[in-house]
Amino acid sequence: MDIKEVRLNIIQVAVVIVQTIAVVGYVGRQAGKIDNVSESTTRIERNQEVQAADNKIWKSKIEADLADLKVRTALLEARINTYVK
């Protein structure tokens, strides 16, 4: 091997090393983006679960208020009927 071939081989190895470093960096950045998306998805799912629980509470409150209103209406109608007779 003469010096030109050795220099050429060194340059080729250096290029491969630089390309490898670039690829590793790119893959690392993409993995970071995937982690961020995964964390965001998890946070959204948790928020949806909390919202669903809140919705159940509000639904129960509305149903209770509606039942109370029906009872009060029935009592009022009964009172009115006693005055009408």
Side-chain angles (χ1 to χ4, degrees), residues 36-51:
N36 288 340
V37 169
S38 178
E39 290 170 6
S40 296
T41 303
T42 302
R43 191 170 42 253
I44 289 168
E45 288 171 349
R46 270 188 265 134
N47 289 343
Q48 287 176 338
E49 291 171 359
V50 168
Q51 189 66 38

Side-chain angles (χ1 to χ4, degrees), residues 30-73:
Q30 295 306 315
K33 289 178 184 177
I34 291 170
D35 288 343
N36 288 340
V37 169
S38 178
E39 290 170 6
S40 296
T41 303
T42 302
R43 191 170 42 253
I44 289 168
E45 288 171 349
R46 270 188 265 134
N47 289 343
Q48 287 176 338
E49 291 171 359
V50 168
Q51 189 66 38
D54 288 347
N55 289 345
K56 286 180 182 178
I57 291 170
W58 279 105
K59 181 180 178 188
S60 297
K61 286 181 180 181
I62 291 169
E63 289 172 348
D65 288 346
L66 182 60
D68 182 54
L69 182 61
K70 287 180 180 178
V71 168
R72 289 174 184 259
T73 302

